[in-house]
Amino acid sequence: MFVLDTIAHRLKRGCETMAYPKGPAPALPDRHGGALKVDATKCADGCTACVPVCPTQAIARPDGKPVALDLGRCIFCAACVDVCPPKAITQTGDHRMAVRHREDLVLGEPGQEQVRLAVALDEKLRRLFGRSLRLRQVSAGGCAACEADTNVLGTIGWDLGRFGIQFVASPRHADGLLITGPVTKNMELALQKTYAAVAAPKIVIAVGACAIAGGPFVGHAQVHNGASAIVPVDLFIPGCPPHPLTILDGLLRMLDRLEETPRGCKALHSTA
């Protein structure tokens, strides 16, 4: 009888897995400002109001040069948005932030007001990983926030497995690594050995500000300021922590599994 009740309950609930990416993306929470945009042409001469308020030194303005904002270091506290007099730094509400190259996360130069979104892997790697990607997740000193949002993707609402992407227990069963945390000194050897245990060809994904650039711990003597100091990284997904939608977008973008939607699409930013 219990089994029948369970089946009836599930039938009543129906499918709970979101339609995305074939349907609209789920709305971001109101408190999630999404990716930042920098319009350096609005910066007042000599204004550096945004520089000292950044807790991770993600913003710089050398003399005579435009303001530069490093989304790889950014923890998205929005302090810079609040204090910027001419509103040169704004929140876009866009969940898409993953890039293939570290320098694509530095905003401010003409033509680089927003991140250059990640392009797909080359054809050979897409054939290998496009339909079946196994990842070993390595928490290299993280606080568990990025790890939690990564785990969310395995729940029934997101169902990461429907894309052929799964997390595995052993690096010997993996196609690559998904790294979180700033890579502490204590995790350096573990990360090196885990990377070495993955058979080539392999990919590495850095998730979160810590794994990209050290996050709040940047410059600390006991961290390596991100995974790139230890292993080559193929995909950078910024955030503190990144929203599960940002992580999923990055993974699917890398595998060329997305039908691109123009920036500003209401489906991406709806709060209804």
Side-chain angles (χ1 to χ4, degrees):
M1 190 65 182
F2 177 76
V3 174
L4 293 177
D5 288 343
T6 301
I7 294 173
H9 178 71
R10 287 298 302 122
L11 290 174
K12 183 178 180 180
R13 294 286 295 269
C15 179
E16 296 189 54
T17 302
M18 65 183 68
Y20 179 81
K22 293 186 177 179
L28 295 175
D30 291 341
R31 64 182 179 275
H32 192 297
L36 297 179
K37 180 179 180 180
V38 178
D39 185 353
T41 62
K42 293 183 178 179
C43 288
D45 290 341
C47 177
T48 59
C50 58
V51 176
V53 301
C54 182
T56 58
Q57 297 83 54
I59 307 176
R61 190 173 189 190
D63 292 340
K65 294 186 178 181
V67 65
L69 192 158
D70 185 352
L71 278 191
R73 283 193 177 194
C74 181
I75 61 171
F76 296 86
C77 65
C80 57
V81 176
D82 294 337
V83 303
C84 180
K87 301 302 177 184
I89 304 175
T90 54
Q91 296 172 308
T92 66
D94 197 334
H95 66 270
R96 299 171 296 177
M97 289 184 261
V99 302
R100 292 291 308 280
H101 305 288
R102 178 69 180 86
E103 59 270 20
D104 288 341
L105 289 172
V106 180
L107 312 181
E109 292 289 342
Q112 182 65 353
E113 291 83 13
Q114 293 179 266
V115 295
R116 297 187 182 98
L117 295 174
V119 297
L121 296 169
D122 62 48
E123 185 178 354
K124 179 180 179 180
L125 291 179
R126 289 204 307 273
R127 287 201 305 267
L128 286 172
F129 303 139
R131 297 181 63 185
S132 176
L133 178 64
R134 304 291 183 263
L135 297 172
R136 175 68 169 98
Q137 200 272 322
V138 179
S139 179
C143 69
C146 291
E147 293 84 345
D149 276 1
T150 300
N151 289 342
V152 164
L153 295 176
T155 62
I156 190 172
W158 297 84
D159 190 16
L160 186 65
R162 63 193 161 119
F163 305 107
I165 306 172
Q166 295 181 344
F167 293 100
V168 295
S170 171
R172 299 190 185 279
H173 300 161
D175 301 309
L177 304 180
L178 186 147
I179 302 171
T180 56
V183 189
T184 61
K185 297 286 187 180
N186 285 342
M187 282 299 297
E188 178 180 358
L189 182 59
L191 179 57
Q192 289 173 338
K193 288 187 174 182
T194 304
Y195 178 78
V198 180
K202 49 193 167 186
I203 57 176
V204 175
I205 303 162
V207 172
C210 288
I212 295 174
F217 311 102
V218 61
H220 194 284
Q222 293 301 314
V223 303
H224 283 285
N225 293 341
S228 294
I230 307 299
V231 295
V233 176
D234 302 286
L235 183 70
F236 300 87
I237 305 178
C240 188
H243 192 278
L245 187 58
T246 301
I247 301 172
L248 179 60
D249 174 82
L251 294 174
L252 297 182
R253 193 172 295 280
M254 179 182 67
L255 298 176
D256 199 22
R257 299 286 297 277
L258 280 176
E259 294 183 7
E260 189 58 82
T261 306
R263 288 187 186 272
C265 175
K266 292 182 179 179
L268 290 174
H269 308 309
S270 172
T271 57

